[in-house]
Amino acid sequence: REAKELRKELRDRESRAVAEILRRADVVLATCTSGGEEGPLKHFVKDNAFDVVVIDECAQVFAGNWCIVFRFT
């Protein structure tokens, strides 16, 4: 039981730390995979948005993959 509580606390702390880093960052680099719901951008505060999104080599991915990042714009 204690291990379960410690894992939850670790996840909560990690989420808060990543969200704080993303809030302070001037530039965020991510792949289509890391921009998905299970990637680090899941910690990004929903009220925030990026001013510009650049998708490198977007012609090599399916439209559904690169559309993931538009939820942050």
Side-chain angles (χ1 to χ4, degrees):
R1 175 171 262 205
E2 184 177 333
K4 185 177 180 180
E5 291 173 11
L6 288 172
R7 281 193 299 271
K8 182 183 181 321
E9 181 180 343
L10 177 63
R11 282 191 308 271
D12 292 343
R13 287 183 181 202
E14 178 186 27
S15 179
R16 287 193 307 270
V18 172
E20 183 63 25
I21 290 167
L22 288 171
R23 262 195 303 277
R24 293 179 179 201
D26 293 324
V27 175
V28 175
L29 304 175
T31 64
C32 289
T33 302
S34 64
E37 292 190 17
E38 293 304 315
L41 291 181
K42 72 181 178 185
H43 302 287
F44 196 62
V45 178
K46 293 179 181 177
D47 295 338
N48 290 327
F50 297 113
D51 295 328
V52 177
V53 173
V54 177
I55 303 170
D56 185 30
E57 300 180 11
C58 67
Q60 297 181 19
V61 297
F62 294 107
N65 290 354
W66 59 261
C67 286
I68 292 169
V69 297
F70 287 114
R71 67 189 177 138
F72 295 109
T73 60

